[in-house]
Amino acid sequence: MIQELTQIAFSHLLLSGTLVHVAPFEELQEKYGVNIQPEVVMLVSVDRYPDVAAGKQIEWKIDIGQKLVDELSGVLSVLFLWTWTEEGVLALLLEYKDRTGADRKGAILLLAEEIQKASDRIGICVSIGIG
């Protein structure tokens, strides 16, 4: 659990841009015990989240988020970090250092399809942005 929390904190620092103001990337990798060097970001957004979550207790929101993270952890075939950027929006930071060009693009699109299928299995519809 502690390792997961440090990886989430590292991901948040990386996405927010705070990382570059604190220390060099390699130094923070060592401090947080993170060996991944993410090159691709996928934003996995729960479709119609404000409508779906309206009136639900915080426990439901936590549960739905945890179900999605657990399902994706079983599906992702590459090294990754993750953090929630806001309610209903999960950022996945993926490492694809062994692939280049069309091979990388094809693998990323295939992974996006796998993510959508995995989320469908647990009854959560998602949209994915890739950057």
Side-chain angles (χ1 to χ4, degrees), residues 43-101:
L43 291 178
V44 180
S45 176
V46 177
D47 291 345
R48 298 178 36 247
Y49 184 81
D51 296 333
V52 174
K56 301 282 195 312
Q57 298 291 325
I58 188 68
E59 292 81 13
W60 179 89
K61 296 174 182 181
I62 292 168
D63 184 54
I64 200 80
Q66 192 60 53
K67 281 182 183 176
L68 182 59
V69 169
D70 290 346
E71 188 69 22
L72 296 185
S73 293
V75 169
L76 297 173
S77 57
V78 296
L79 293 175
F80 72 98
L81 299 170
W82 64 269
T83 188
W84 289 99
T85 58
E86 62 182 88
E87 278 191 49
V89 181
L90 178 67
L92 300 173
L93 292 83
L94 308 162
E95 183 176 280
Y96 276 97
K97 68 181 176 184
D98 296 335
R99 299 183 181 209
T100 59

Side-chain angles (χ1 to χ4, degrees), residues 6 12-13 18-19 30 32 34 39-40 44-45 50 52 62 72 77-78 91 93 95 103 110-112 118 125 130:
T6 58
H12 181 72
L13 287 173
T18 305
L19 192 75
E30 185 176 328
Y32 281 87
V34 174
E39 303 158 310
V40 176
V44 180
S45 176
V52 174
I62 292 168
L72 296 185
S77 57
V78 296
L93 292 83
E95 183 176 280
D103 183 43
L110 182 60
L111 185 59
C125 295
I130 302 170

Side-chain angles (χ1 to χ4, degrees), residues 10 13-14 19-32 34-39 81 93 95:
F10 182 84
L13 287 173
L14 186 59
L19 192 75
V20 297
H21 300 293
V22 176
F25 180 78
E26 294 79 13
E27 200 174 297
L28 283 172
Q29 272 187 305
E30 185 176 328
K31 178 181 178 181
Y32 281 87
V34 174
N35 297 319
I36 184 174
Q37 293 193 4
E39 303 158 310
L81 299 170
L93 292 83
E95 183 176 280

